[in-house]
Amino acid sequence: MIKKLLLVILLVSNIAFSQEEKVQQEKNQDSIPKKWNTITKLAFILNQSTFSNWVAGGTNTVAGNLNVNYEFNYKKNNWNWDNKITSAYGLSYVDKQGVRKTDDRIEYNSLLGYKSKKDWFFSFFNNLKTQFTRGYDYVQTPKLAISDFFSPAYLSFGPGMLWKKSDTKFINIAPSSSRFTFVSPDFSGKYGVDEGQTSSFGLGFNLSSYYKFSITENLTMENILALYSDYLDNPQNVDVDYQINFLVKISKYFSTNLGFHTIIDDNASKSIQFKQLFGLGVNYVFL
């Protein structure tokens, strides 16, 4: 059995080495510069706890989160076009409660820029965000559906000015942004949409920024901020969407992930929304 296992490992290693040589040869032969740059990031975070005759008490839980991010960016002369699709989905199983959702998000960001001078660009941004599956309020009995796919969905776009120092440091200001909110008929009257309607329109100020840097050799901090003020509906109530993520690199494929996500949106909830995620992650990047 051990001999067979060693033989399989040798075969797999030989195939992987051959593929790597082939890819390297293709790279050397390809002298045409690429305008498009693509990258896919996969991350899986697992949390688990089990108790048996534990005096202090406890509940058996298993939770997993899958994150898939895809970027496709274009650069040529004075043009800069960054696109990113972010998706996340998580489930947990808790004894006597069953399976519940812990994360659910899909978002598309597009930022087109034409260089003006130095680090400044004339820009046009587009943002679409919603969720995959139906969400419930488990505090009520029976559970109450409070959201679903494209309920709500937010579509924002508009011209502005972009300050971009690098791919990890930029701020986009769009003082005249259009924003549409969509819901299904089941959720009409919520999320700022009038009763009997399935969409609403807003015009306002939008600011989005991104800042990522290394604190130490193996510790990275990521900040993602979005602000929106609707000129047509209580402009003093500024919507805030802020994420802060810490990534502690353990090895090439393993890391410890710690993330905080805060949302302030009076149309969605009168209270501050807060989410925290921590766990051991398996990461892989496709270039």
Side-chain angles (χ1 to χ4, degrees):
M1 182 66 184
I2 296 177
K3 291 182 178 179
K4 291 181 179 180
L5 181 59
L6 290 174
L7 180 60
V8 171
I9 293 174
L10 288 174
L11 288 173
V12 172
S13 300
N14 185 54
I15 293 173
F17 181 75
S18 300
Q19 290 294 326
E20 185 176 351
E21 280 192 330
K22 184 178 179 181
V23 171
Q24 188 61 43
Q25 290 175 0
E26 291 176 351
K27 287 183 178 179
N28 294 335
Q29 293 174 358
D30 185 10
S31 59
I32 301 175
K34 296 182 178 179
K35 302 180 182 67
W36 285 95
N37 179 43
T38 62
I39 182 172
T40 304
K41 299 179 181 179
L42 302 177
F44 179 71
I45 302 174
L46 179 66
N47 298 280
Q48 186 266 341
S49 60
T50 303
F51 302 88
S52 179
N53 301 320
W54 193 254
V55 176
T59 303
N60 297 340
T61 61
V62 178
N65 285 72
L66 177 64
N67 298 271
V68 181
N69 298 332
Y70 178 63
E71 299 178 23
F72 50 107
N73 305 319
Y74 177 89
K75 291 183 181 180
K76 184 181 180 182
N77 300 328
N78 292 326
W79 289 99
N80 187 99
W81 188 17
D82 296 332
N83 299 271
K84 184 176 183 179
I85 299 175
T86 303
S87 61
Y89 197 79
L91 294 173
S92 69
Y93 173 80
V94 182
D95 273 357
K96 300 180 182 180
Q97 294 183 358
V99 178
R100 295 185 178 182
K101 187 168 58 174
T102 58
D103 200 1
D104 188 0
R105 180 167 59 98
I106 180 170
E107 183 172 353
Y108 168 61
N109 282 287
S110 176
L111 185 56
L112 176 65
Y114 183 81
K115 193 167 187 178
S116 171
K117 59 178 181 179
K118 293 185 179 179
D119 300 324
W120 286 95
F121 296 76
F122 298 107
S123 67
F124 189 90
F125 87 98
N126 181 38
N127 173 268
L128 174 64
K129 55 184 176 182
T130 184
Q131 61 191 60
F132 289 103
T133 60
R134 178 161 290 203
Y136 296 93
D137 180 0
Y138 291 96
V139 175
Q140 303 189 41
T141 305
K143 61 183 182 182
L144 177 66
I146 56 174
S147 61
D148 205 345
F149 176 69
F150 247 71
S151 295
Y154 302 99
L155 174 62
S156 304
F157 55 87
M161 290 297 297
L162 167 67
W163 177 83
K164 185 175 183 180
K165 189 68 174 179
S166 67
D167 288 338
T168 60
K169 188 187 300 182
F170 63 82
I171 299 174
N172 185 67
I173 302 173
S176 181
S177 301
S178 298
R179 183 180 185 182
F180 289 89
T181 302
F182 302 97
V183 297
S184 67
D186 293 340
F187 298 96
S188 180
K190 297 182 178 180
Y191 302 104
V193 177
D194 293 336
E195 189 72 40
Q197 303 294 319
T198 57
S199 66
S200 66
F201 172 76
L203 180 67
F205 173 88
N206 184 287
L207 181 147
S208 58
S209 68
Y210 181 83
Y211 184 35
K212 181 179 180 180
F213 64 97
S214 297
I215 299 176
T216 64
E217 182 179 356
N218 295 317
L219 176 59
T220 303
M221 179 180 179
E222 180 183 53
N223 295 270
I224 306 171
L225 173 66
L227 303 176
Y228 176 75
S229 173
D230 193 337
Y231 302 141
L232 308 179
D233 183 22
N234 297 318
Q236 72 279 4
N237 295 339
V238 179
D239 294 345
V240 180
D241 190 325
Y242 177 58
Q243 299 177 58
I244 178 171
N245 300 304
F246 294 93
L247 179 68
V248 182
K249 184 178 179 181
I250 299 175
S251 66
K252 183 177 180 180
Y253 299 113
F254 291 93
S255 66
T256 298
N257 300 272
L258 174 62
F260 300 92
H261 192 175
T262 299
I263 297 177
I264 301 175
D265 184 350
D266 290 342
N267 291 324
S269 174
K270 298 303 180 183
S271 302
I272 298 176
Q273 302 176 60
F274 180 80
K275 181 179 67 177
Q276 180 268 324
L277 178 65
F278 174 77
L280 177 66
V282 180
N283 305 279
Y284 195 78
V285 177
F286 298 91
L287 298 174

